[in-house]
Amino acid sequence: MKPGQHDLLRQVEDHHWWYDVQRRLALEGLQRHVPTGAAVLDAGCGTGGMLSRLGRYAAFGCDHAGEA
């Protein structure tokens, strides 16, 4: 990503429809197939917007980009 893009992403990811749909689909799949309390890795988590919604799991995130 270009410099500054992670800042922009963090500003919009909590309310932009695209990210809302992506989170909803991921959470529906997790709830169907992964038991509460299981360890979940968000590889490429970016600014961590999804991690804040994984409270029922032992969630971990990593991203290659240092500014993420």
Side-chain angles (χ1 to χ4, degrees), residues 48-60:
M50 182 65 174
L51 289 172
S52 65
R53 285 145 175 104
L54 295 172
R56 65 187 291 179
Y57 305 103
F60 302 90

Side-chain angles (χ1 to χ4, degrees), residues 30-41:
L30 284 169
Q31 290 169 0
R32 241 179 298 183
H33 303 290
V34 180
T36 298
V40 174
L41 173 64

Side-chain angles (χ1 to χ4, degrees), residues 1 4-7 15 17 20 30-32 35 42 44-45 49 53-55 59 61 63 67:
M1 273 191 187
Q5 290 295 309
H6 283 96
D7 292 333
H15 58 272
W17 69 269
D20 183 51
L30 284 169
Q31 290 169 0
R32 241 179 298 183
D42 183 356
C45 66
R53 285 145 175 104
L54 295 172
D63 199 290
E67 58 276 0

Side-chain angles (χ1 to χ4, degrees), residues 15-39:
H15 58 272
H16 192 280
W17 69 269
W18 172 260
Y19 299 106
D20 183 51
V21 170
Q22 295 298 314
R23 281 190 301 269
R24 194 166 359 112
L25 291 171
L27 289 171
E28 287 174 3
L30 284 169
Q31 290 169 0
R32 241 179 298 183
H33 303 290
V34 180
T36 298

